[in-house]
Amino acid sequence: QVQLVESGGGLVQAGGSLRLSCAASGLTASTYAMGWFRQAPGKEREFVAAMNWSGNSIYYGVSAQGRFTITRDNAKNMVFLQMNSLKPDDTAVYYCAAQLGSSWRPKGGIGYWGQGTQVTVSS
């Protein structure tokens, strides 16, 4: 059974940093690309970052560019999102996602979602 579990969210002041983790189980890392999405209250879900498990293809959403970094640890079957210079607008529930295929497809469907982890940035 495929399962994605996020952790690392919390409350941080503007300008601070957080590191989110996503632990994946029940899938072969090389057959899935992994990504992060977020959804703030009253807003639509937004793409944040994604990468294939080989680490040679990475995508970032506009809001993440220059501040967020996606990484992975294949041995532990985990994906991370390092978030720096956080802003109040970054406040949202962050979701880990897995997409079938070795490469991320920006318009492709998501096969599996995590439950999400709350990130709150105070001004």
Side-chain angles (χ1 to χ4, degrees), residues 9 15-16 35-36 39 45 50 53 56 60 66 105:
W36 290 93
Q39 187 166 23
R45 185 158 51 197
W53 274 93
N56 61 355
Y60 289 105
R105 295 172 289 116

Side-chain angles (χ1 to χ4, degrees), residues 14-114:
S17 299
L18 283 174
R19 180 179 172 85
L20 305 184
S21 300
C22 174
S25 62
L27 56 80
T28 301
S30 62
T31 64
Y32 286 87
M34 304 294 296
W36 290 93
F37 292 79
R38 69 185 187 184
Q39 187 166 23
K43 297 183 179 180
E44 296 182 354
R45 185 158 51 197
E46 176 188 11
F47 171 74
V48 177
M51 67 182 298
N52 62 345
W53 274 93
S54 66
N56 61 355
S57 183
I58 301 175
Y59 299 85
Y60 289 105
V62 173
S63 63
Q65 292 177 349
R67 300 187 299 126
F68 296 180
T69 303
I70 185 171
T71 57
R72 84 287 184 270
D73 185 335
N74 288 340
K76 297 181 179 179
N77 214 25
M78 297 185 69
V79 179
F80 307 94
L81 184 68
Q82 178 66 46
M83 305 186 295
N84 299 324
S85 301
L86 285 164
K87 307 173 182 178
D89 286 347
D90 294 319
T91 296
V93 177
Y94 284 71
Y95 297 92
C96 180
Q99 183 184 76
L100 179 63
S102 59
S103 298
W104 180 262
R105 295 172 289 116
K107 298 296 184 180
I110 301 300
Y112 304 96
W113 292 96

